[in-house]
Amino acid sequence: MKLLAVGTVAYDAIETPFGKTDKILGGAATYIGLAASKLGTEVNLISVVGGDFQQKYLDLLENHKIGIQGIEKVEDGKTFFWSGIYHEDMNSRDTLVTELNVLESFNPVIPEDLKNSEVLMLGNLHPAVQLSVIEQMSEKPKLIVLDTMDFWMNSTWDLLLKVIAKVDVITINDSEARQLSGEFSLVKAAKKIQQLGPKFVVIKKGEHGALLFHKEQVFFAPAMPLEEILDPTGAGDSFAGGMTGYLAKSEDFAFENLKKAIIVGSALASYTVEKFGVERLVELTQQEFESRLESFKTLTSYDYNI
Ligand code: AMP
């Protein structure tokens, strides 16, 4: 199955307790695409960049066999720019700059031959853009996955609910799940969110892993305990890219397979945070990827006698 992902392709400037970067390649769609490409899934991106966007970054995406025909280049515009600084604990960050630039007037246009993509990943963007992408699909995708954040809950609540009603899977973090549902218990929150539309609710808890909810079933994917974490940027998007890349490849959207998909997502996110930006994801080999999937098995399996 083909995976179509919409989201930002951006320049980021990041500061963490371990270092600082100038403008580097970032954006939700970039991380989603790179993570999905590690599964050998056919993935195409829908995004927009400005005339200042370097060709070498488009080449990098193409070298990973990521389809870029849906990335519009506005020659007289500037690429979306985000800058953030992480706190000591690396779990929280402050946004220093968000320059929407070409994103401000972004009207996604899906190329004709991608309108039948079976899996659609809606990266974190304005819900109006996400809705427009859903409406342009020629056939209803077999699976629609949505990533969103508190910013859209605060600013475009009604429109966001409209998008949520149309998706099969939603990925959000724990505080956002509480905000969306008005429930403190994540179990109750996931039940309420399922009533809004999505059959599956994935609640991300940063360095504490992710929970998958479906009806009465629940599954937990841990995050890999790492010696070195340099930059958490893009972890959530890599998780989403790994998850949807795996689902598109395996063509199976049952709960049991979603369990595997969130482990794959967790494994790819664990690589992303080891270096700044996309560097670690780019250099990641198949062998390393598989070895981390094995480590997840060891991390979570045990035997007991009482
Ligand atoms: P994450 O760390 O998973 O939240 O994703 C970080 C990526 O999201 C960065 O590479 C940014 O370029 C991108 N980003 C930051 N703010 C926004 C925003 N308001 N809308 C869309 N993408 C954003």
Side-chain angles (χ1 to χ4, degrees):
M1 288 185 180
K2 284 201 295 264
L3 169 62
L4 184 66
V6 57
T8 43
V9 170
Y11 280 136
D12 289 348
I14 302 158
E15 184 170 350
T16 82
F18 302 101
K20 197 175 163 164
T21 71
D22 287 329
K23 282 190 177 181
I24 56 170
L25 175 63
T30 305
Y31 286 101
I32 292 169
L34 285 170
S37 76
K38 299 292 166 177
L39 277 306
T41 310
E42 180 183 341
V43 52
N44 294 283
L45 304 186
I46 301 293
S47 194
V48 64
V49 294
D52 59 343
F53 195 70
Q54 294 185 62
Q55 183 60 36
K56 68 173 183 187
Y57 291 141
L58 292 172
D59 294 344
L60 183 147
L61 296 175
E62 276 203 302
N63 289 341
H64 280 76
K65 300 198 168 51
I66 297 168
I68 59 165
Q69 55 162 319
I71 302 182
E72 188 195 343
K73 192 164 188 183
V74 181
E75 289 297 345
D76 59 354
K78 275 180 79 185
T79 301
F80 172 76
F81 172 62
W82 174 79
S83 169
I85 180 165
Y86 286 83
H87 301 163
E88 269 317 303
D89 66 0
M90 298 274 263
N91 268 333
S92 48
R93 68 185 180 203
D94 292 327
T95 290
L96 300 175
V97 183
T98 302
E99 285 175 13
L100 291 177
N101 299 330
V102 289
L103 205 62
E104 207 150 2
S105 50
F106 179 38
N107 262 323
V109 179
I110 306 187
E112 218 42 58
D113 56 332
L114 300 181
K115 286 186 176 172
N116 62 353
S117 299
E118 294 87 350
V119 178
L120 176 60
M121 173 71 226
L122 302 168
N124 178 29
L125 270 180
H126 196 297
V129 173
Q130 296 175 324
L131 204 56
S132 154
V133 169
I134 296 176
E135 284 167 356
Q136 286 180 56
M137 300 303 280
S138 57
E139 287 164 43
K140 190 183 179 311
K142 297 200 165 43
L143 192 81
I144 306 182
V145 181
L146 168 71
D147 187 34
T148 188
M149 67 187 295
D150 51 358
F151 180 76
W152 306 117
M153 291 177 207
N154 298 332
S155 56
T156 55
W157 178 262
D158 290 343
L159 204 52
L160 179 61
L161 284 188
K162 242 174 138 173
V163 178
I164 290 176
K166 290 181 185 291
V167 308
D168 303 289
V169 185
I170 181 170
T171 70
I172 42 177
N173 73 29
D174 42 3
S175 65
E176 290 157 355
R178 290 182 170 121
Q179 182 176 351
L180 185 58
S181 64
E183 294 285 352
F184 177 78
S185 152
L186 293 179
V187 176
K188 284 187 183 164
K191 278 191 182 151
K192 273 207 174 166
I193 295 169
Q194 286 178 68
Q195 286 164 7
L196 300 176
K199 296 186 280 290
F200 298 95
V201 177
V202 178
I203 299 182
K204 298 172 287 182
K205 293 160 69 68
E207 62 168 338
H208 303 298
L211 290 159
L212 166 69
F213 293 92
H214 174 58
K215 294 183 181 162
E216 296 304 317
Q217 293 168 292
V218 56
F219 177 71
F220 175 62
M224 181 57 63
L226 299 168
E227 235 174 276
E228 201 97 270
I229 300 180
L230 291 192
D231 169 24
T233 308
D237 306 310
S238 307
F239 177 92
M243 178 179 85
T244 47
Y246 180 79
L247 290 171
K249 181 109 193 275
S250 54
E251 307 191 358
D252 175 355
F253 311 136
F255 181 75
E256 282 308 308
N257 204 47
L258 263 103
K259 283 163 63 171
K260 295 182 201 163
I262 68 167
I263 294 284
V264 169
S266 227
L268 286 164
S270 76
Y271 277 114
T272 293
V273 303
E274 284 183 345
K275 288 194 178 172
F276 277 86
V278 298
E279 188 181 346
R280 187 68 183 95
L281 210 47
V282 164
E283 68 189 20
L284 177 66
T285 65
Q286 188 66 21
Q287 207 178 5
E288 287 173 321
F289 178 32
E290 284 171 21
S291 112
R292 186 143 298 170
L293 287 173
E294 276 306 312
S295 307
F296 267 88
K297 271 195 196 161
T298 324
L299 180 69
T300 51
S301 72
Y302 66 94
D303 217 358
Y304 72 95
N305 286 306
I306 46 172

